[in-house]
Amino acid sequence: MVLLLGVLCITWTTVTLWQGGVADKAIIRSSGKIFSEVPLSRNQIISVPGPLGISRIAIHNRQVRIAADPSPRQYCVHQGWLKQAGEIAICLPNQVSVEMSGRGKRYDSLNY
């Protein structure tokens, strides 16, 4: 559990510091392992199993979101649509996450 929390903190810091470019796929994870890598070119809903039940990932107009999740507080659902490479939504209790991936990520915080 401590390791998972550490990974989430590192992920959050990385996402906060990096501004993403154009995303071309969503990387969906379940229990820390890649469940699927899905192109954003087709609108669809993907069911992802987790320890608490099924999470539903929606892809629409090259954006992605966690549309439904059995976790009690629904933070990942309320996060809304992810639009740029590097953005991520994590449902910690159900161990499901979705990350936008693509070319053109750039590091803005240090003005390189």
Side-chain angles (χ1 to χ4, degrees):
M1 186 64 151
V2 173
L3 180 62
L4 183 59
L5 186 57
V7 169
L8 290 176
C9 287
I10 290 169
T11 302
W12 179 82
T13 302
T14 302
V15 170
T16 301
L17 294 176
W18 284 80
Q19 297 294 321
V22 177
D24 56 9
K25 69 179 174 179
I27 301 171
I28 301 168
R29 291 183 174 85
S30 178
S31 299
K33 297 179 181 173
I34 293 178
F35 175 79
S36 183
E37 293 187 27
V38 184
L40 300 176
S41 57
R42 187 174 75 114
N43 296 344
Q44 59 186 308
I45 295 182
I46 300 162
S47 297
V48 184
L52 299 180
I54 300 293
S55 295
R56 303 221 189 295
I57 311 290
I59 298 174
H60 183 72
N61 291 339
R62 303 194 66 80
Q63 301 176 40
V64 66
R65 70 175 295 198
I66 298 177
D69 183 74
S71 300
R73 292 197 172 85
Q74 301 288 299
Y75 292 132
C76 57
V77 174
H78 295 299
Q79 188 169 350
W81 293 101
L82 307 178
K83 300 172 184 170
Q84 295 183 324
E87 291 184 316
I88 188 168
I90 301 169
C91 294
L92 186 57
N94 202 32
Q95 299 177 15
V96 171
S97 69
V98 61
E99 176 184 3
M100 298 288 276
S101 178
R103 314 178 307 284
K105 287 174 99 175
R106 64 185 196 282
Y107 192 65
D108 285 341
S109 296
L110 295 178
N111 297 318
Y112 282 113

